[in-house]
């Protein structure tokens, strides 16, 4: 966790210190941030230095330090050089008072009173000086204690601020998570409200349409009845008036009656026009509804036709031109029915019928089988029965092919044709050094076909159903909707039934 040469500390000219990471593996962390190797970092008071990493995630760092300022200093007296010299001189005289005077060593000279007085004064000054030094030392210690107390107080304040900052960050994260959860809930709620409003709008439009149609019908019926009643009343009044006019033979009254009849005819014609307008509106609403239904039906038919085209073009076996039965994919990525490719490899070359690549492996495509089965479920009952018969036929065919002997080596003959007595098989065999030889029985005739082929052609004629002349048909294969030959699904005449 800690290198031998982990960090380099250097003092600067201004009295500060710098630390430098010596390209270590576990690095140096200042206040939780790792230093870049080889770049000096100026330290400040209160910085936390972590050298290396802790032994485990749960343990505390072993080498963790904090930068503090040392307020203590070397305290020296304020004595001058002359005082120090006099002190050293007096110390030397006391140590050897007769060193410079001649005479016997056992005689001690008598000191004068002035000399004693000077010594006493000097001792008093030394004592006072020592007292001043002691007082200064006490003052310095007091200042050091005060500084340490201030440092501890600042450290506690820093720790409190760090704890408060950590708590604030936790609160911010929690609040952010709560806001994100609320936003997700609001989005879900808005989506639900949107779907609900769409459903309500659709239902409301349908109800309004039905209501309008019902109102129009009722109004039409009421107006028709009112017109009939009014017409009958007018005709009755006219007859009465005409009878009276004929009886009275008054021409003026007859003219007035005619004018009144014209006015009534005009009113009746206006009512009839209104009636026809209402019928036209009702017919137009019905036409719009039918157009909407036809457009929906057309879209559905296009979707079915697209799916049918995809199945017709992509999900047909190139050998039997039917939908895949037990789809099997070769290593060259071409897919065929299992029975078709098994028969191909047993009776022909061991190569892909599409790209003529040698067959080395084959894999069942369960996804294609499942997809085709799901699509066939939506077909008619006739197509489902055709599919079931095809599956049963292929199952028997696979069992028959698997009971046959496996394909021989390269020199084995390949037989092509039927096994009836009327036609000899065509064989290809290797004749050693003389090369390949092709042989065919002379009894076979190109003009006469075998009975079973004539039966097949008759069944094909009965199974041939022409399709839409505008749709393309390649001349082979069956329609997977109705099962007949003569057209593909795009031109099937039964696809809309």
């Amino acid at each position: 966790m800690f290198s031998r040469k982990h960090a380099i500390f250097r003092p600067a000219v201004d009295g500060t210190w710098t630390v430098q990471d010596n390209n270590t593996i576990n690095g140096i962390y200042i206040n939780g941030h790792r230093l870049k190797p080889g770049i000096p970092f100026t330290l400040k008071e209160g910085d936390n230095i972590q050298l290396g990493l802790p032994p485990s995630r749960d343990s505390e760092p072993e080498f963790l330090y904090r930068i503090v300022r040392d307020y203590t200093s070397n305290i020296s007296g304020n004595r001058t050089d002359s005082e120090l010299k006099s002190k050293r001189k007096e110390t030397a005289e006391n140590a050897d008072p007769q060193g410079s005077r001649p005479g016997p060593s056992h005689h001690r000279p008598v000191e004068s009173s002035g000399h004693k007085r000077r010594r006493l004064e000097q001792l008093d000054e030394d004592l006072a000086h020592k007292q001043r030094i002691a007082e200064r030392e006490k003052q310095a210690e007091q200042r050091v204690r005060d500084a340490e107390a201030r440092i501890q107080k600042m450290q506690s304040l820093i720790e409190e601020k760090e704890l408060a900052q950590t708590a604030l960050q936790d609160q911010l994260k929690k609040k952010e998570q709560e806001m994100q959860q609320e936003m997700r809930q609001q989005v879900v709620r808005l989506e639900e409200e949107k779907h609900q409003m769409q459903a309500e709008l659709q239902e409301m439009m349908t109800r309004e349409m039905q209501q309008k149609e019902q109102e129009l019908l009722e109004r039409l019926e009421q107006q028709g009845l009112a017109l009939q009643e009014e017409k009958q009343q007018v005709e009755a009044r006219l007859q009465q008036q005409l009878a009276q006019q004929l009886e009275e033979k008054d021409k003026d009254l007859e003219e007035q009656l005619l004018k009144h009849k014209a006015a009534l005819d005009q009113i009746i014609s206006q009512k009839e026009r209104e009636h026809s307008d209402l019928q036209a509106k009702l017919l137009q609403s019905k036409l719009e509804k039918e157009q909407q239904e036809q457009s929906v039906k057309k879209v559905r038919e296009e979707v079915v036709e697209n799916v049918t085209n995809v199945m017709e073009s992509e999900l047909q076996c190139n050998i039997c031109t039917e939908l895949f039965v037990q789809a099997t994919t070769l290593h060259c990525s071409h897919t065929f029915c299992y029975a078709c490719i098994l028969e191909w490899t047993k009776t022909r070359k061991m190569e892909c019928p599409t790209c003529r690549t040698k067959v080395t492996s084959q894999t069942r495509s369960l996804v294609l089988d499942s997809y085709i089965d799901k699509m066939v479920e939506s077909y008619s009952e006739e197509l489902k029965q055709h599919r079931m018969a095809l599956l049963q036929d292929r199952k028997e065919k696979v069992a028959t092919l698997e009971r046959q002997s496996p394909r021989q080596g390269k020199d084995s003959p390949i037989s092509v044709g039927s096994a009836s007595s009327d036609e000899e098989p065509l064989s290809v065999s290797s004749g050693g050094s003389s090369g390949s030889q092709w042989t065919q029985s002379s009894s076979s005739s190109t003009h006469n076909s075998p009975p079973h082929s004539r039966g097949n052609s008759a069944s094909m004629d009965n199974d041939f159903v022409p399709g839409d002349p505008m749709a393309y048909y390649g001349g082979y294969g069956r329609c997977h909707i109705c099962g007949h030959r003569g057209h593909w699904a795009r031109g099937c005449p039964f696809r809309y039934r």
Side-chain angles (χ1 to χ4, degrees):
M1 301 302 163
F2 189 69
S3 304
R4 294 186 179 181
K5 296 181 180 181
H6 199 91
I8 300 173
F9 291 89
R10 289 193 182 92
V13 179
D14 56 354
T16 59
W17 285 77
T18 61
V19 62
Q20 178 180 342
D21 188 357
N22 197 18
N23 294 324
T24 57
I25 296 175
N26 295 321
I28 300 172
Y29 295 84
I30 304 295
N31 298 326
H33 300 286
R34 182 169 179 171
L35 296 182
K36 294 182 178 179
I39 299 176
F41 179 81
T42 304
L43 297 172
K44 299 184 292 297
E45 185 178 359
D47 287 345
N48 292 323
I49 304 177
Q50 178 183 337
L51 303 179
L53 295 172
S56 63
R57 292 184 179 179
D58 299 333
S59 61
E60 295 293 332
E62 185 176 357
F63 302 99
L64 183 63
Y65 306 95
R66 177 170 289 177
I67 303 299
V68 297
R69 186 181 296 279
D70 188 5
Y71 290 96
T72 60
S73 62
N74 295 326
I75 302 173
S76 60
N78 294 327
R79 291 176 294 180
T80 60
D81 294 339
S82 61
E83 290 177 352
L84 293 174
K85 289 179 181 178
S86 64
K87 182 68 177 177
R88 286 197 295 272
K89 185 176 180 181
E90 290 174 0
T91 304
E93 287 177 355
N94 291 331
D96 190 10
Q98 296 179 357
S100 60
R101 297 179 182 179
S105 60
H106 60 276
H107 293 288
R108 184 177 180 182
V110 179
E111 296 180 355
S112 63
S113 61
H115 184 66
K116 288 181 179 180
R117 190 170 54 254
R118 284 196 302 274
R119 284 190 64 187
L120 289 173
E121 291 175 358
Q122 186 67 34
L123 290 173
D124 292 337
E125 289 177 0
D126 291 342
L127 183 60
H129 184 65
K130 287 180 179 179
Q131 289 176 355
R132 288 197 299 274
I133 290 172
E135 289 177 359
R136 289 176 182 174
E137 288 179 353
K138 288 180 180 180
Q139 291 176 0
E141 289 177 357
Q142 185 65 31
R143 286 199 297 273
V144 169
R145 285 194 295 272
D146 294 341
E148 289 178 351
R150 286 197 299 275
I151 289 170
Q152 290 179 357
K153 187 175 181 181
M154 290 175 66
Q155 289 177 354
S156 63
L157 288 174
I158 290 170
E159 290 177 355
E160 290 177 359
K161 287 182 179 180
E162 289 178 352
L163 291 173
Q165 186 177 4
T166 305
L168 184 60
Q169 289 178 355
D170 294 338
Q171 291 178 0
L172 287 173
K173 289 181 180 178
K174 190 179 293 183
K175 192 171 182 181
E176 184 178 0
Q177 292 176 357
E178 291 176 355
M179 291 178 67
Q180 290 178 355
Q181 185 69 20
E182 289 179 359
M183 287 179 65
R184 286 194 291 270
Q185 291 177 358
Q186 288 180 0
V187 169
V188 173
R189 189 165 58 254
L190 287 173
E191 288 291 335
E192 292 177 354
E193 291 177 358
K194 179 182 175 183
H195 294 312
Q196 187 176 1
M197 288 178 67
Q198 288 179 352
E200 291 177 355
L201 183 62
Q202 187 70 23
E203 187 178 357
M204 185 173 65
M205 289 176 65
T206 307
R207 284 200 304 270
E208 287 180 356
M209 289 286 292
Q210 293 176 355
Q211 242 174 5
K212 286 182 180 179
E213 290 179 359
Q214 190 68 24
E215 289 176 358
L216 287 171
L217 289 173
E218 290 177 356
R219 286 173 60 187
L220 285 172
E221 290 177 357
Q222 291 174 2
Q223 289 181 0
L225 293 173
L227 286 171
Q228 288 179 1
E229 291 178 358
E230 190 173 356
K231 186 176 180 181
Q232 291 175 0
Q233 292 175 2
V234 169
E235 288 178 352
R237 286 197 302 270
L238 287 172
Q239 288 177 0
Q240 291 176 2
Q241 290 175 3
L242 287 171
Q244 290 176 3
Q245 287 178 359
L246 290 172
E247 291 175 357
E248 297 175 356
K249 298 180 180 179
D250 193 348
K251 294 182 179 179
D252 295 332
L253 291 175
E254 188 177 358
E255 291 178 358
Q256 291 178 1
L257 288 173
L258 290 173
K259 290 179 181 179
H260 187 63
K261 183 180 178 181
L264 288 174
D265 289 337
Q266 188 176 1
I267 292 171
I268 290 169
S269 62
Q270 185 178 359
K271 293 291 184 180
E272 288 178 350
R273 283 197 300 272
E274 291 178 358
H275 182 71
S276 62
D277 292 338
L278 289 173
Q279 285 182 346
K281 288 182 181 179
L282 180 61
L283 182 61
Q284 186 177 1
S285 64
K286 288 182 178 179
L287 289 174
E288 289 178 355
K289 188 174 180 181
E290 290 177 357
Q291 287 177 358
Q292 290 179 356
E293 292 177 354
Q294 288 178 359
S295 62
V296 172
K297 185 177 180 181
K298 187 176 180 181
V299 170
R300 289 178 181 173
E301 290 174 357
E302 288 178 357
V303 171
V304 172
E305 185 175 359
N306 290 333
V307 173
T308 303
N309 292 336
V310 169
M311 292 185 66
E312 184 73 35
S313 59
E314 300 295 335
L315 302 180
Q316 272 192 350
C317 175
N318 289 337
I319 298 176
C320 65
T321 65
E322 293 281 357
L323 292 178
F324 290 126
V325 178
Q326 294 181 344
T328 303
T329 304
L330 305 182
H331 70 286
C332 59
S333 300
H334 291 122
T335 306
F336 306 93
C337 297
Y338 176 69
C340 296
I341 194 62
L342 182 63
E343 183 180 10
W344 179 276
T345 54
K346 282 181 176 293
T347 60
R348 303 193 182 194
K349 295 182 180 180
M350 286 290 292
E351 60 184 17
C352 175
T354 302
C355 63
R356 300 303 179 184
T357 305
K358 186 177 180 181
V359 178
T360 59
S361 64
Q362 56 186 11
T363 307
R364 282 290 306 279
S365 298
L366 299 178
V367 176
L368 289 177
D369 293 340
S370 177
Y371 179 72
I372 292 172
D373 292 340
K374 292 292 183 182
M375 293 302 298
V376 170
E377 288 178 0
S378 62
Y379 288 172
S380 61
E381 292 296 329
E382 184 180 357
L383 294 178
K384 288 181 181 178
Q385 291 177 3
H386 174 70
R387 179 72 179 177
M388 292 299 294
L390 183 62
L391 291 175
Q392 186 64 27
D393 184 29
R394 293 298 174 85
K395 186 176 180 181
E396 295 174 357
K397 188 175 181 180
V398 168
T400 304
L401 290 172
E402 288 179 350
R403 284 197 299 270
Q404 292 178 2
S405 60
R407 181 182 174 88
Q408 300 298 324
K410 182 178 180 181
D411 298 335
S412 62
I414 304 172
S415 61
V416 180
S418 64
S420 63
S421 59
D422 296 338
E423 187 176 357
E424 293 292 333
L426 178 66
S427 63
V428 180
S429 61
S430 176
S433 61
S434 61
S436 300
Q437 297 178 356
W438 292 77
T439 61
Q440 184 175 6
S441 175
S442 60
S443 62
S444 62
S445 175
T446 58
H447 301 285
N448 298 323
S449 60
H452 72 275
S453 80
R454 290 194 296 271
N456 291 336
S457 63
S459 64
M460 288 176 62
D461 292 338
N462 295 331
D463 204 17
F464 186 85
V465 176
D468 187 0
M470 300 300 294
Y472 174 73
Y473 176 58
Y476 62 90
R478 294 176 179 269
C479 173
H480 65 80
I481 294 179
C482 64
H484 294 90
R485 297 183 181 274
H487 61 271
W488 284 341
R490 186 187 294 273
C492 181
F494 307 106
R495 58 178 175 175
Y496 297 123
R497 293 188 179 180

